[in-house]
Amino acid sequence: RTPTATMADHDKITLALAKKESQEHLGKAMQALNADMRQRRLGIKAYAFDDPAAPSIDDDSVKVVHFVRHGQGFHNLMADMAQAEGRTWQQYSRTKDNPYVMPEILDAPLTDKGREQALMLQPVVRSFADQPELVVLSSQCRAIQTGCIAFEHLLDDKSAPFIAHEDVRECSGVHTCDKRRCKSRQEKEFPMVDFSEIKSEHDGLFMDDRRESKSEVGERIYSFLRWLSERPESHIGVASHSGWLMTLFNGVVECDESLKPWFQTGELRSVKLEFTKR
């Protein structure tokens, strides 16, 4: 079974909303993405870290990656509160009932609960026999915060670079919480992170009027995995988002059913990725 660290409790409202939103990601578009990815020149398989069928890390084509979903963000809190009040909304619509389009939650940061969820991952990360040699962060605030907290000891001893990467950010469009702040603002608040992979000052990916398609998100993920496959590091931490992670495991990589469920906030899953050129 995958070493999974869902250290914080999640109440019934949060879990019910997660179930609803996870189902919205599955369907014909995800199936089409999966079929398309099976034709790519770079094949990518994911195995639970302790799967006896997983290849050896001694193989140059294999990397251990610890995927983390960010802790609770203020947009998650607003959605939970709306759900508790019995409000309903249409996803990816700019209506007053949709909590994800509130202007106050642009590039939503972590709540105190979210920071605590990230802190609770620290002993899990420290327990790894082989520590991450690289930490890759979504370019969005909540994932940067989560990664910097969960892998904090690597910052303290300067043993691994922390790199922000635009291809690791959440599915984009319509929802204000998923719009990135300007690069210079992120650099000022997170000077310990390398933002050189972020090429534009302002968010050029976000669209007010539509959400990224599943194929567009899949292309970003595939591009990131190609980049990762060419890195020299073998043990890597990645801090990202629920929709991105759902697309990764259900649409982009080949894997068994145990890796496909929705990530809860503050959840970590360790996998082996095997890269094969076809």
Side-chain angles (χ1 to χ4, degrees):
R1 200 171 68 87
T2 312
T4 300
T6 310
M7 304 301 292
D9 291 332
H10 296 280
D11 60 31
K12 291 181 179 179
I13 291 172
T14 301
L15 293 173
L17 186 58
K19 182 178 180 180
K20 175 178 178 290
E21 293 187 351
S22 68
Q23 290 302 313
E24 291 168 350
H25 283 270
L26 301 175
K28 291 183 179 179
M30 187 74 84
Q31 293 170 11
L33 174 63
N34 189 289
D36 175 50
M37 288 295 164
R38 302 293 73 78
Q39 306 302 315
R40 299 300 178 99
R41 294 184 65 181
L42 181 66
I44 309 157
K45 288 188 177 182
Y47 301 83
F49 180 78
D50 58 357
D51 184 342
S56 170
I57 188 58
D58 294 330
D59 191 323
D60 290 341
S61 66
V62 178
K63 296 181 185 292
V64 174
V65 185
H66 309 285
F67 288 104
V68 179
R69 181 188 173 191
H70 63 79
Q72 184 194 60
F74 274 96
H75 65 305
N76 301 127
L77 176 61
M78 293 298 101
D80 285 353
M81 292 172 63
Q83 181 91 346
E85 293 169 359
R87 286 164 51 193
T88 60
W89 62 91
Q90 182 179 348
Q91 285 284 70
Y92 318 131
S93 64
R94 301 194 67 83
T95 60
K96 62 182 178 64
D97 289 324
N98 186 347
Y100 296 126
V101 300
M102 295 172 60
E104 296 86 354
I105 58 170
L106 187 147
D107 201 357
L110 295 180
T111 63
D112 186 63
K113 178 178 179 178
R115 290 191 292 272
E116 287 297 320
Q117 289 173 331
L119 278 168
M120 293 175 77
L121 291 177
Q122 288 186 353
V124 179
V125 174
R126 286 180 178 273
S127 73
F128 297 153
D130 295 291
Q131 289 294 294
E133 306 154 282
L134 166 70
V135 178
V136 187
L137 311 166
S138 154
S139 57
Q140 292 173 286
C141 185
R142 56 193 181 271
I144 297 172
Q145 290 176 306
T146 300
C148 288
I149 295 171
F151 298 95
E152 187 175 51
H153 68 289
L154 302 177
L155 284 172
D156 292 339
D157 59 23
K158 297 180 171 59
S159 59
F162 281 58
I163 299 176
H165 202 296
E166 197 85 310
D167 285 341
V168 183
R169 62 183 286 183
E170 181 59 298
C171 313
S172 185
V174 184
H175 287 178
T176 311
C177 56
D178 298 325
K179 185 173 184 178
R180 172 174 64 79
R181 296 185 302 169
C182 62
K183 176 182 175 180
S184 58
R185 185 72 260 164
Q186 305 289 53
E187 288 177 317
K188 284 185 172 66
E189 291 197 19
F190 305 104
M192 71 292 284
V193 176
D194 178 357
F195 287 90
S196 61
E197 290 289 334
I198 311 301
K199 305 306 181 185
S200 61
E201 166 69 357
H202 299 288
D203 189 346
L205 185 64
F206 187 86
M207 297 166 285
D208 286 316
D209 59 346
R210 77 169 180 90
R211 194 74 167 171
E212 273 187 292
S213 69
K214 195 56 65 181
S215 64
E216 288 170 331
V217 178
E219 287 294 343
R220 283 203 289 114
I221 297 172
Y222 182 73
S223 175
F224 166 69
L225 292 176
R226 287 179 59 190
W227 176 86
L228 194 66
S229 72
E230 296 169 358
R231 294 284 307 189
E233 299 88 359
S234 297
H235 299 267
I236 300 141
V238 175
S240 189
H241 307 258
S242 57
W244 190 95
L245 290 161
M246 192 75 172
T247 306
L248 168 71
F249 287 109
N250 288 269
V252 178
V253 304
E254 293 183 68
C255 64
D256 66 30
E257 294 299 315
S258 69
L259 294 176
K260 293 183 178 181
W262 186 259
F263 276 64
Q264 301 299 333
T265 53
E267 181 175 351
L268 179 150
R269 294 181 199 168
S270 298
V271 305
K272 290 181 180 179
L273 292 183
E274 182 180 34
F275 300 92
T276 306
K277 291 183 180 179
R278 297 186 172 111

